Amino acid sequence: MKSYPLTHLKTALVLAAFLGFVITALPARNNPETELIPVSLRIAPADRYPVPALGDDAPLVSEQVRDNWTSIEIRSGDNLFTIFKAVGLKAAELQAIVDIGKDVAILRKIVPGKTLGLKISKSGELDALRYDINALERLLVTRDADRFVAQREISNPEIITAYQTGRISTDTPSLYHAGKKAGLSDNIIMKLSNIFQWDISFALDLRKGDSFALIYEDIYVDGEKVKEGEVLAAQFQNMGKTYTAVLYEDEHGIKSYYAQDGRSMRKAFIRDPVHFSHVSSNFNLRRLHPIHNRVMPHRGIDYAANKGTPVIAAGQGKVTIARQNSASGRYVVIQHGEQYTTKYLHLSKFANGLRPGKTVEQGQIIGYVGATGWATAPHLHFEFLVNGVHRNPRTVKLPDAKPILAKNMTDFRNTTQPILSRLSSVAGQTSYASALGQSSNDGG
Ligand SMILES: [Zn+2]
């Protein structure tokens, strides 16, 4: 914990008292740019920012050590007017900034959660303002005598490839848990699950000992990681089978994932019509139990999820039924080509505009999880039929995914080979770690 000298506490108190005033006054000039509903403003708590020692020119608000910039975390309902007012800046200064015109138009829609930087002189005038548009782009407004000028600063990012491995275990029963333990961000975990969504049911079919390895981009600006880029290659070992995917950009500049042999990772059906992150983890734990022998309950697969969880179409197709009966509750049937049919039961409601005859795309929301019909708790009951017969989508033979064009095959092999061999060495480390983990478990 950081310690705070008394002077800082005083500052904090003054600040708190100052901010205690909920500003209700309208701007001096009735300009539409600034005439927004003033709402209370909160400055980021002092412990989020290092507080410098205070000198004679102690400002009213807490400051970042660097460059005398005051960082203000934008909250819901904040706008430039409320912020200027709260920190004691003049309405005329705000007007001078607004007068710059379209270059500062983005300041009309400052986004909650982002940070606004203000540089205020000893005499309490605004010297500069900065706003991070995104991780790589910043708007900087600086004083030039009596007016302000705006410029956009584009950072020169440095892309570093990173790799990571993870493993499904009793402690980390889901991809989310295993990914977090491996230090992956939510963003990368989602990307990883999207890559394999046609092959692996992350909601139902993960097993203890399943493992993954991936290589992805970390984007740095000034030595600081600002975000992640693409997953370049990934491997997932699921129930004894290894799936590998690599990112490849075709001659039209379209990037997609392919298996090592050039088949597209995209297939006719997504494994889980409910995103794994919504499926109860108790459900996962139970399924991880080695003795648990999963049967197909009443010819379908159940996904335990909260009421209201979105249900998506497993594949592109045409809605043939969207109605309600006493057993299935609200249910949807989708016909995919000649042979395949999927059914989604016990929905709490249908997606807006969904009705028989409508075409749906793969991944499109068709309804929401519920407990209508014969259901004791909210869940999705999903059925997959081939030529009218119930089948397990995991074991049924599905149409092959489109391969890469023959003319691109040589380029595909040449460009993906280095990253794939690196992936295999990263994945090799997982197997090694898994082996160590298992032997120590056996000994314990
Ligand atoms: Zn069921």
Side-chain angles (χ1 to χ4, degrees), residues 297-303 345-346 374 379-383:
H298 36 277
R299 303 189 300 177
I301 303 169
D302 288 334
Y303 289 87
L345 277 56
H346 311 308
W374 296 347
H379 74 283
L380 173 73
H381 172 101
F382 175 58
E383 294 182 14

Side-chain angles (χ1 to χ4, degrees), residues 136-362:
L136 302 176
E137 211 175 339
R138 164 180 284 178
L139 173 68
L140 182 67
V141 178
T142 45
R143 179 182 284 280
D144 178 17
D146 284 341
R147 61 190 194 107
F148 286 93
V149 287
Q151 67 193 94
R152 285 205 180 197
E153 294 181 326
I154 314 281
S155 307
N156 207 356
E158 191 186 351
I159 297 172
I160 293 173
T161 56
Y163 66 86
Q164 204 51 265
T165 63
R167 192 162 167 254
I168 305 300
S169 67
T170 312
D171 293 339
T172 53
S174 74
L175 176 60
Y176 185 77
H177 290 103
K180 280 287 154 192
K181 198 182 177 191
L184 298 178
S185 68
D186 291 11
N187 174 31
I188 290 290
I189 293 170
M190 288 305 152
K191 285 184 172 178
L192 184 62
S193 72
N194 286 341
I195 293 169
F196 295 108
Q197 64 182 320
W198 297 275
D199 294 300
I200 299 170
S201 166
F202 289 105
L204 305 178
D205 284 340
L206 291 190
R207 295 291 181 273
K208 201 163 137 181
D210 283 358
S211 62
F212 58 86
L214 72 162
I215 297 175
Y216 60 98
E217 298 169 329
D218 271 338
I219 298 173
Y220 284 78
V221 171
D222 297 334
E224 213 175 299
K225 183 177 160 181
V226 293
K227 63 173 184 174
E228 288 114 359
E230 311 270 18
V231 172
L232 301 174
Q235 188 171 89
F236 209 108
Q237 295 198 8
N238 175 232
M239 300 196 292
K241 211 174 158 191
T242 303
Y243 301 90
T244 303
V246 65
L247 188 65
Y248 174 69
E249 185 176 348
D250 71 12
E251 75 269 37
H252 306 295
I254 296 165
K255 291 179 177 180
S256 311
Y257 289 95
Y258 295 88
Q260 278 163 295
D261 62 4
R263 274 178 305 115
S264 173
M265 295 305 285
R266 287 178 181 278
K267 296 176 183 74
F269 296 98
I270 289 173
R271 284 281 178 246
D272 296 322
V274 174
H275 197 272
F276 81 91
S277 60
H278 293 296
V279 174
S280 110
S281 59
N282 286 335
F283 205 58
N284 277 328
L285 270 174
R286 185 160 56 79
R287 288 179 182 276
L288 281 178
H289 197 277
I291 316 166
H292 181 77
N293 221 340
R294 187 150 65 88
V295 289
M296 296 272 285
H298 36 277
R299 303 189 300 177
I301 303 169
D302 288 334
Y303 289 87
N306 288 336
K307 184 183 169 190
T309 300
V311 174
I312 58 170
Q316 195 265 349
K318 191 181 243 187
V319 177
T320 53
I321 298 174
R323 64 169 179 243
Q324 183 159 16
N325 70 24
S326 57
S328 306
R330 284 195 186 87
Y331 74 106
V332 173
V333 177
I334 302 174
Q335 184 70 39
H336 313 269
E338 300 270 293
Q339 297 181 58
Y340 304 98
T341 309
T342 54
K343 298 184 180 181
Y344 312 79
L345 277 56
H346 311 308
L347 304 176
S348 58
K349 61 172 184 170
F350 300 122
N352 277 342
L354 189 99
R355 58 177 172 269
K358 283 252 169 179
T359 299
V360 288
E361 294 305 317
Q362 185 175 68

Side-chain angles (χ1 to χ4, degrees), residues 389-421:
V389 180
H390 287 85
R391 302 291 295 271
N392 183 341
R394 183 161 68 77
T395 50
V396 73
K397 177 97 176 87
L398 291 169
D400 269 347
K402 262 201 210 151
I404 216 153
L405 293 173
K407 61 172 176 137
N408 290 339
M409 206 58 204
T410 310
D411 183 61
F412 172 76
R413 290 228 168 83
N414 291 342
T415 53
T416 60
Q417 196 275 326
I419 195 90
L420 283 171
S421 56

Side-chain angles (χ1 to χ4, degrees), residues 2 63 89 92 195 218 337 438:
K2 294 189 189 86
E63 285 193 351
L89 289 168
I195 293 169
D218 271 338
Q438 269 158 14

